[in-house]
Amino acid sequence: MIIKKIVSAAILVPLLVSAAWAGGHHSSDPRYAAPADPSATPAGFGTDAKVALLWHWSEGVIRSVGVTKVSSGGKGVICITPKVALDVNGIFPIVSFSPEESNTLAGFAGSRNEAELCKGSKDIEVDTYESNGKSATPSNDVGFYLIIE
């Protein structure tokens, strides 16, 4: 009986994982939906940052402050449009890879000085990469935090 349950679990888990993977890639990608209204978030620890974003590799925006929209600029490129006017020469975006929000343990995330692959002139571009041990390639499997104070 116990062996039967173990075998059933061994078969069911990979099926659920592959179904989740397959469900995350469709044309109306929910990751790029409008950010949630921060006023609806319960009080607690917060940030004084002008722009802050927690990005999950498959769910998209988890939490954000000062973000109008998030869009894709291509594989491994996330374009963040801030609500506030920012002097691109006077800001220093802090981008941090988040293993908990990623589908890889070998991910990297960083911002560009100028948003080269984003359509909006005011966008903040975050590029994400995944390493295979020898090189890094653009990846949509990377989660990150972005903060601009």
Side-chain angles (χ1 to χ4, degrees):
M1 185 71 148
I2 293 175
I3 293 175
K4 194 178 216 181
K5 287 183 181 180
I6 291 172
V7 170
S8 296
I11 293 170
L12 183 61
V13 170
L15 290 175
L16 291 174
V17 170
S18 63
W21 275 61
H25 302 286
H26 29 87
S27 59
S28 59
D29 197 332
R31 295 180 297 172
Y32 302 104
D37 180 10
S39 63
T41 305
F45 290 103
T47 181
D48 290 332
K50 291 179 183 166
V51 177
L53 173 72
L54 172 56
W55 179 261
H56 185 275
W57 76 276
S58 70
E59 296 176 29
V61 177
I62 301 294
R63 288 190 302 273
S64 69
V65 171
V67 174
T68 298
K69 72 175 184 171
V70 180
S71 57
S72 174
K75 186 171 184 176
V77 178
I78 293 83
C79 304
I80 298 108
T81 307
K83 284 183 182 176
V84 296
L86 299 173
D87 174 10
V88 293
N89 294 321
I91 62 168
F92 301 92
I94 300 167
V95 179
S96 178
F97 167 68
S98 174
E100 298 85 9
E101 308 301 332
S102 299
N103 192 32
T104 179
L105 292 176
F108 305 93
S111 65
R112 286 187 185 250
N113 289 338
E114 295 180 18
E116 296 174 9
L117 301 175
C118 296
K119 294 177 185 171
S121 62
K122 306 284 185 198
D123 286 352
I124 299 159
E125 180 179 327
V126 174
D127 297 332
T128 58
Y129 298 90
E130 184 174 356
S131 174
N132 64 10
K134 296 181 181 180
S135 64
T137 56
S139 174
N140 291 332
D141 290 342
V142 177
F144 61 88
Y145 291 91
L146 165 72
I147 298 174
I148 300 174
E149 294 184 341

